Amino acid sequence: MKAVRFHRFGGPEVLRIVDLPDPHPGPGQVRIAVRAAGINPSDWKKRKGLMDEELPQTMGHEAAGIVDELGEGVADVALGDEVFGFCVDGTAQAELAVLSHYAPVPLSLDFPGAAALPAAIETATRTLDQLGVERGSTLLINGASGTVGSAAVQLAVARGARVIGTAGPANHGYLRSLLAKPVTYGAGLVERVRELAPDGVDLALDVAGSGVLPELIALAGGPEHVVTAADFDGAQQHGVKFSRCDTGRALHALAGIGELIEAGRFSLPVARTFPLAEIAEAHRVGEKGQLRGKLVLLVG
């Protein structure tokens, strides 16, 4: 199969399309002919050598496509079914991928829209679970207009929470469309949030990593009411929980998202798509960080 790989760390130019052996599913897994694969900021961090030291590395942990091989014991899907989910070995950006956790592609979504879902909804659900967001909670989300942030806004609203989200002025209308109260980030954040919530907030989530943990702690009444998925050093410094997927993924998010999507209560925009062969350009565009929505590779 054709797959994305790099043999040295560096800029987008190190990315190559290579031939790798076809993978096969183990017990409880399925293999898909990939039609679309998600691109995440962790991809360029890995490419730069900021996360994993081993070489070479393959790329991609989320994909959507058509089931073409079943592992032992799989009875909930059939050959030819359209599914999306998490790739076992980080080779989702390829012609074939083995999925360990998966769900049917929602009827109203195409393959790129489905491939955009797994990482964002898992991260959002995991952090909301860790915070204990429930009906009646007032939640502040730092970085609310990004992919994970907008997913967290919608999932929190679906739980019955009141959401205040930080974003630049250009994204305030977008947050209002998601039923969140927008507030501009930057100096004076505490005062602006307290204009919307005079008694502060119950909980705060940081998915932007912009150095605002002290402000979130002040607004939420203590570090125990704050979770960050983006500021590891700040979490260590301020006693805030840092949420990471290797301490337990919220994989139940995959099965539940379809109902919200079909009810019109959740959407995640795809900003741009790229053919597999243009993976380097996709990285260049993604690192600029100027788009709203997910970048997705088209395969097959």
Side-chain angles (χ1 to χ4, degrees):
M1 68 174 184
K2 301 293 184 183
V4 176
R5 175 171 275 201
F6 59 91
H7 293 77
R8 60 185 177 88
F9 298 120
E13 70 279 357
V14 305
L15 297 170
R16 296 285 184 270
I17 305 299
V18 302
D19 290 310
L20 294 178
D22 291 354
H24 297 282
Q29 301 173 341
V30 301
R31 190 180 76 177
I32 61 170
V34 177
R35 293 294 177 260
I39 302 172
N40 292 289
S42 60
D43 291 350
W44 38 89
K45 292 178 182 178
K46 290 181 178 180
R47 191 201 71 226
K48 294 176 179 178
L50 301 177
M51 295 182 65
D52 303 316
E53 296 180 356
E54 69 272 9
L55 289 171
Q57 286 190 41
T58 52
M59 304 287 282
H61 289 278
E62 53 184 351
I66 300 170
V67 176
D68 75 345
E69 191 172 321
L70 302 175
E72 181 183 351
V74 172
D76 55 350
V77 296
L79 297 177
D81 285 355
E82 299 180 357
V83 301
F84 72 102
F86 285 105
C87 180
V88 182
D89 53 3
T91 58
Q93 295 171 13
E95 292 176 322
L96 299 170
V98 172
L99 304 185
S100 55
H101 295 86
Y102 50 87
V105 172
L107 293 176
S108 62
L109 290 189
D110 56 12
F111 286 122
L117 293 173
I121 62 172
E122 187 283 324
T123 303
T125 301
R126 170 171 27 96
T127 52
L128 295 179
D129 288 349
Q130 290 168 338
L131 280 167
V133 175
E134 58 186 8
R135 180 171 299 278
S137 299
T138 298
L139 171 68
L140 173 62
I141 300 177
N142 180 52
S145 63
T147 302
V148 174
S150 61
V153 168
Q154 295 172 86
L155 293 174
V157 168
R159 296 185 183 199
R162 176 195 183 199
V163 180
I164 299 171
T166 74
N171 286 315
H172 283 195
Y174 175 56
L175 290 186
R176 291 189 187 97
S177 75
L178 302 181
L179 305 181
K181 296 286 187 181
V183 61
T184 304
Y185 54 75
L189 174 64
V190 171
E191 291 73 22
R192 289 191 294 275
V193 171
R194 283 188 171 146
E195 289 180 5
L196 298 173
D199 296 326
V201 300
D202 300 314
L203 305 162
L205 171 61
D206 170 38
V207 295
S210 52
V212 298
L213 291 183
E215 289 90 337
L216 301 188
I217 291 169
L219 286 163
E224 67 274 17
H225 303 305
V226 180
V227 166
T228 178
D231 188 356
F232 179 78
D233 292 339
Q236 299 283 72
Q237 180 180 354
H238 299 290
V240 167
K241 181 178 182 62
F242 181 78
S243 182
R244 52 196 305 166
C245 62
D246 58 4
T247 57
R249 285 183 168 184
L251 295 166
H252 60 281
L254 296 179
I257 199 64
E259 182 177 351
L260 287 177
I261 290 172
E262 298 309 316
R265 301 176 66 193
F266 186 94
S267 64
L268 201 62
V270 173
R272 282 187 63 177
T273 61
F274 300 82
L276 186 67
E278 295 181 13
I279 181 62
E281 179 62 17
H283 274 230
R284 293 185 186 100
V285 171
E287 286 186 89
K288 292 179 181 178
Q290 298 175 346
L291 298 175
R292 179 195 299 159
K294 194 72 175 263
L295 300 182
V296 176
L297 288 175
L298 302 180
V299 187

